[in-house]
Amino acid sequence: MVRVSGLASGMDIDQIVSDLMKAERMPIDKMKKQKQTLEWQRDDYRSMNLLLSDFNNLAFNMTLQSSYSSKTVSSADETKVKAAATSSAGNASYTLSNVTMATAAQTISTSIDSSMDPTKSLWSQRGSMDSSVWTEKTVEQAAITLSADTSTVKLAKGAVSAVNQNTGTLNSISVTTDGTSKAYTVRIGTTAGTINYNEVFINEDTGEMTFGTTLTSGSTIEAFSYQQNVLNFSMTTYDSTGKATGNIQDGGSTPFEFDGSTSLNTLLTQISNSKVGISAFFDEGTNKVVMTRKDTGNLSSVDSPDGSNMVFSGAFLTTGFLQLAGNAKGTDAKFTLNGLETTRKSNTFTTGGVTYTLQNNFTGDVRVNVSNDTQKVFDTIKDFVTKYNELIEKINGKITEERDRNYQPLTDQEREKLTDKQAEQWDDKAKSGLLKGDTILSSGLNQMRSNWYASVSGVSGAFSQLTDIGISTSANYSDRGKLVIEGDGTKLKEAIEKDPQSVMDLFMKSGSTTSEKGIVRRLRDTITQTVSKVEQRAGRSTWTSEQFLLGRNLKSVNSQITSFESRLTQVEDRYYRQFTAMEKAIQNANAQSAQLSQYFS
């Protein structure tokens, strides 16, 4: 539509229409404020549900026996024995005596040639070991296309002994350049010397190939195979049941393979990091290799209880180089516990819910005492009470917060007239009191207070009410039901010390009825019900608008806004049509007046 803006009348039509539309837009501004209020209210409800859910998770921990049955353990001499206890341990005293600690099986190699460098490749030092330790392995090298001009190309592996041994074409590598193939004669060694134009030298230690001519970018070194020298050996270890810890397909042993470019230090490190359970290292002071089981005790085969704890196979470990002995054995820990002589594979063991860690051999007595950890249980209950008080303080703050109706959500036009700080302060006031007097949250708080105060029926011990253990309601009305631990907590600590089972039942007892349930289980039931009711009103972030009340209200308001915006467009168009008609009428009148004036001139 073509709009005429006061050309004939001299009036500011756009401003007039804008002013007229302000009045027309008042209902839709009210709808948008309503929408914003509903969204803020929804978010407030969800924040309350988040607080309730977080507290419910904390309450779950309070339904676990471990929260009330913590134990403290004291050892008369921790340089000899350390101990820790689980909640299942009984309160008792234990005496350990005549302790001989478990040891791990260990074997040491014969002295290695003093010229051996543990950081260099084993193949480059092969003169220090018997040739029987080496095994040839065929490596299939894929074709290599060069991305730049070069005369050197490194193979993935070192310790090379021959090329194309399995093809019948010995010592020859082909290179194709621009469709033309050329064969290079192979020389293998440690010193290149002069390399002829039709030769390729392979450093047997590093696997680096050097061609007698420069190969151009795009050339392809055709696929070939080469023989690499590797070390193959295996180790067998056993667990505490006498079962081999290695691969079933290898008869329970753990196989190892290392190419000749591997150093002795790297080889030993990889053994230590493997699942074989052996710690291996080279001692440069004695030039010997030491291998030690990571687990203590006599860990031998179930088929050979008196056999070696580490079985070695392969010339590298046995006759060809390290010459490790095959009779390594660990020893079990031996001790007397409360008069009973017994053994264990490990220096750390658990019995009767108490975990002992032997620190030294000794012949005298060391007493270990296990008792209830009253302070830890007290701290757990105190922390739970504190978290509950924080929860009800926040919820009470929301449902008692005053609503200032002088502050309504800002429209876009109103927000533009304020600074960011002013708009933020306005929003804070407009958001206040949206949950004031909410019946769901108020009812939930009242029910939680009742959960705390009501007696727990069927408790076998001395305590059936919260006041019995020194927890009561604050006398200050403004605290709105907060809990207080009486005095300095002495009464609660005495209750935990006197009858921990009764304290635990008071909080976490199960039951078919509410009166039979412990306080925490009642609280969790109430919270679950309250969260569900709030969700019916405010939903979850993953729910659709149709699934909760405020969502349906928001959807209805959005629909009204859309319809009204369409109507406003029609009204604005009508105003412009009317003013356009007026402009045309004035323009016609002006034209007629001009024409009449000509007749009288």
Side-chain angles (χ1 to χ4, degrees):
M1 174 186 293
V2 177
R3 291 174 175 174
V4 180
S5 299
L7 295 176
S9 65
M11 301 168 63
D12 188 347
I13 303 303
D14 288 336
Q15 184 61 48
I16 294 173
V17 172
S18 177
D19 292 339
L20 289 170
M21 290 304 298
K22 285 182 181 178
E24 297 286 349
R25 292 191 62 85
M26 289 179 66
I28 199 170
D29 287 341
K30 186 177 180 180
M31 293 178 199
K32 288 184 176 180
K33 290 174 184 286
Q34 181 186 3
K35 174 185 176 183
Q36 182 63 80
T37 300
L38 287 171
E39 289 176 344
W40 283 342
Q41 191 176 45
R42 176 200 63 195
D43 294 342
D44 275 353
Y45 273 122
R46 289 181 180 178
S47 67
M48 293 298 99
N49 253 7
L50 180 60
L51 290 175
L52 288 167
S53 297
D54 288 344
F55 183 76
N56 201 25
N57 292 334
L58 177 65
F60 171 76
N61 294 332
M62 295 296 292
T63 64
L64 304 177
Q65 182 177 346
S66 58
S67 296
Y68 309 92
S69 304
S70 297
K71 300 292 182 178
T72 182
V73 182
S74 62
S75 170
D77 189 347
E78 289 198 345
T79 64
K80 295 178 179 178
V81 179
K82 290 184 178 181
T86 64
S87 59
S88 63
N91 296 339
S93 293
Y94 302 90
T95 301
L96 275 85
S97 56
N98 301 322
V99 171
T100 302
M101 294 181 65
T103 62
Q106 184 180 85
T107 184
I108 301 174
S109 73
T110 57
S111 293
I112 298 171
D113 191 324
S114 59
S115 63
M116 171 67 71
D117 185 340
T119 65
K120 293 183 178 179
S121 74
L122 289 165
W123 177 251
S124 66
Q125 304 176 89
R126 57 190 176 278
S128 299
M129 57 194 77
D130 192 88
S131 60
S132 62
V133 306
W134 298 102
T135 302
E136 273 196 345
K137 175 185 177 182
T138 299
V139 179
E140 298 295 338
Q141 175 62 56
I144 304 171
T145 300
L146 304 178
S147 58
D149 294 352
T150 185
S151 60
T152 60
V153 179
K154 196 173 186 303
L155 298 173
K157 306 290 185 180
V160 179
S161 59
V163 171
N164 290 328
Q165 193 175 67
N166 296 333
T167 65
T169 308
L170 293 175
N171 297 326
S172 177
I173 293 177
S174 295
V175 178
T176 299
T177 304
D178 296 331
T180 302
S181 180
K182 177 181 177 181
Y184 288 81
T185 302
V186 174
R187 281 197 296 114
I188 300 176
T190 56
T191 304
T194 301
I195 305 174
N196 295 326
Y197 74 96
N198 62 344
E199 287 185 328
V200 56
F201 172 75
I202 300 179
N203 186 306
E204 62 180 288
D205 291 337
T206 66
E208 184 176 76
M209 300 187 296
T210 304
F211 289 84
T213 58
T214 298
L215 306 181
T216 59
S217 176
S219 297
T220 299
I221 302 173
E222 303 298 339
F224 62 94
S225 64
Y226 62 92
Q227 277 59 52
Q228 177 198 25
N229 290 283
V230 298
L231 300 168
N232 285 300
F233 55 83
S234 65
M235 300 179 177
T236 306
T237 54
Y238 307 94
D239 60 21
S240 59
T241 67
K243 180 181 177 181
T245 60
N247 302 327
I248 296 176
Q249 60 268 29
D250 295 308
S253 66
T254 301
F256 293 89
E257 181 177 284
F258 298 93
D259 66 70
S261 60
T262 305
S263 69
L264 180 60
N265 280 347
T266 299
L267 180 146
L268 297 176
T269 297
Q270 292 191 30
I271 289 175
S272 298
N273 293 338
S274 72
K275 65 180 181 181
V276 74
I278 292 176
S279 175
F281 68 93
F282 173 72
D283 176 51
E284 295 184 358
T286 59
N287 285 336
K288 293 182 178 181
V289 169
V290 180
M291 293 198 180
T292 309
R293 279 299 309 268
K294 293 180 180 179
D295 295 326
T296 58
N298 182 14
L299 304 174
S300 55
S301 170
V302 67
D303 298 323
S304 181
D306 198 38
S308 177
N309 292 182
M310 296 182 285
V311 178
F312 305 113
S313 177
F316 179 81
L317 299 178
T318 56
T319 58
F321 185 46
L322 296 181
Q323 300 186 33
L324 295 170
N327 59 352
K329 297 179 185 178
T331 60
D332 295 341
K334 298 179 180 180
F335 54 91
T336 301
L337 179 62
N338 282 7
L340 175 66
E341 293 184 5
T342 184
T343 63
R344 293 291 189 280
K345 298 291 184 185
S346 172
N347 291 313
T348 298
F349 57 91
T350 300
T351 183
V354 182
T355 299
Y356 302 89
T357 302
L358 305 178
Q359 302 292 310
N360 279 297
N361 297 332
F362 61 90
T363 56
D365 294 343
V366 173
R367 184 175 291 276
V368 174
N369 293 314
V370 181
S371 59
N372 293 327
D373 192 344
T374 302
Q375 185 62 45
K376 187 172 182 180
V377 177
F378 172 81
D379 290 341
T380 298
I381 295 175
K382 181 181 178 182
D383 180 63
F384 184 65
V385 169
T386 300
K387 291 293 192 295
Y388 170 76
N389 286 339
E390 291 173 355
L391 172 72
I392 66 170
E393 180 179 10
K394 291 176 181 178
I395 296 178
N396 274 320
K398 276 293 182 182
I399 64 177
T400 59
E401 187 178 43
E402 292 297 330
R403 180 88 171 103
D404 192 340
R405 300 191 181 278
N406 292 323
Y407 291 87
Q408 295 295 319
L410 295 168
T411 63
D412 293 339
Q413 293 81 1
E414 291 170 338
R415 190 174 295 275
E416 289 175 358
K417 297 176 182 178
L418 301 176
T419 65
D420 290 343
K421 182 65 175 177
Q422 289 172 332
E424 181 182 350
Q425 292 173 339
W426 186 287
D427 287 343
D428 288 341
K429 289 183 176 294
K431 290 178 181 178
S432 64
L434 294 178
L435 298 185
K436 179 175 173 57
D438 182 76
T439 56
I440 296 176
L441 295 174
S442 297
S443 175
L445 286 181
N446 290 334
Q447 186 59 46
M448 282 193 282
R449 293 188 191 107
S450 176
N451 293 153
W452 281 101
Y453 307 146
S455 298
V456 178
S457 61
V459 176
S460 58
F463 313 123
S464 61
Q465 277 188 315
L466 204 61
T467 53
D468 294 339
I469 61 173
I471 301 177
S472 59
T473 308
S474 171
N476 188 342
Y477 175 77
S478 63
D479 285 341
R480 295 182 177 275
K482 285 186 178 180
L483 299 175
V484 176
I485 296 177
E486 297 174 10
D488 58 357
T490 301
K491 187 174 181 179
L492 176 57
K493 290 178 181 178
E494 289 176 351
I496 296 169
E497 184 68 31
K498 176 184 176 182
D499 194 347
Q501 181 64 44
S502 181
V503 173
M504 181 173 68
D505 287 347
L506 179 62
F507 281 96
M508 59 164 285
K509 181 177 177 293
S510 298
S512 57
T513 64
T514 300
S515 64
E516 293 175 335
K517 292 181 180 180
I519 292 170
V520 176
R521 296 192 187 278
R522 295 173 183 172
L523 285 171
R524 297 197 75 217
D525 289 345
T526 298
I527 291 171
T528 300
Q529 293 168 8
T530 304
V531 167
S532 178
K533 290 177 181 178
V534 172
E535 285 177 348
Q536 292 305 311
R537 179 167 293 183
R540 301 179 187 173
S541 60
T542 56
W543 285 14
T544 64
S545 297
E546 294 293 342
Q547 292 179 278
F548 59 100
L549 177 62
L550 291 181
R552 292 189 290 272
N553 292 346
L554 280 167
K555 185 176 180 181
S556 175
V557 172
N558 281 330
S559 179
Q560 293 174 41
I561 290 172
T562 300
S563 297
F564 204 83
E565 283 178 338
S566 177
R567 177 180 173 277
L568 286 177
T569 301
Q570 295 173 1
V571 171
E572 186 178 45
D573 289 342
R574 176 168 56 81
Y575 280 137
Y576 271 109
R577 285 196 303 270
Q578 290 172 340
F579 280 106
T580 298
M582 181 191 74
E583 288 290 324
K584 289 180 179 179
I586 294 172
Q587 190 175 23
N588 290 335
N590 289 339
Q592 289 175 358
S593 176
Q595 188 176 15
L596 287 173
S597 65
Q598 290 177 0
Y599 291 122
F600 296 100
S601 61

